[in-house]
Amino acid sequence: FGYHEISCGLYSPCQTILLPTDNDNTIFDIPPTKILPPPSNINELCSTQNLQSTLRSLCEDACSPGSCCFSRDDKNCFFENEEMCGLYGAPCFKLRNINVETGEQVEE
């Protein structure tokens, strides 16, 4: 993905579109996953300052319920939760852009 990783990541839910084969109705038996909204202070929890410190885990915990929004496997829940996933988007994408070991901004 390189430079366009974040933009491409928004399209990752499309990878989960399944076309059922003959006599395969299992896709229709999967209940939708509903996620709760993120905490109202998610932007603060996921601030660059917190991500570069020991407080990073606060952001990770806050983003955890929305992780299915950006999953690239069959656990993706974006289409059932478009509005909620949008609330997790920007703050939680920051987790991918801060190096855990050095605390420095990662270049896209």
Side-chain angles (χ1 to χ4, degrees):
F1 297 106
Y3 175 74
H4 301 286
E5 183 178 38
I6 292 175
S7 297
C8 292
L10 297 174
Y11 291 95
S12 66
C14 298
Q15 295 176 1
T16 63
I17 297 174
L18 302 174
L19 297 175
T21 58
D22 293 339
N23 300 321
D24 181 8
N25 292 323
T26 57
I27 187 172
F28 304 111
D29 297 333
I30 301 171
T33 301
K34 294 293 178 191
I35 60 170
L36 296 174
S40 59
N41 63 340
I42 193 165
N43 288 318
E44 179 184 327
L45 295 173
C46 295
S47 69
T48 301
Q49 182 178 1
N50 281 2
L51 292 177
Q52 294 174 334
S53 74
T54 57
L55 298 176
R56 180 185 180 90
S57 63
L58 296 176
C59 179
E60 291 170 341
D61 292 344
C63 290
S64 181
S67 62
C68 65
C69 296
F70 313 105
S71 176
R72 293 183 178 162
D73 59 21
D74 61 350
K75 293 180 176 71
N76 187 287
C77 66
F78 181 84
F79 289 114
E80 295 91 1
N81 298 279
E82 287 184 52
E83 184 176 341
M84 290 299 128
C85 287
L87 297 175
Y88 283 96
C92 297
F93 265 125
K94 289 181 187 178
L95 283 169
R96 306 173 92 188
N97 296 330
I98 302 290
N99 184 298
V100 178
E101 294 177 10
T102 65
E104 295 178 3
Q105 185 79 24
V106 175
E107 295 296 322
E108 289 291 321

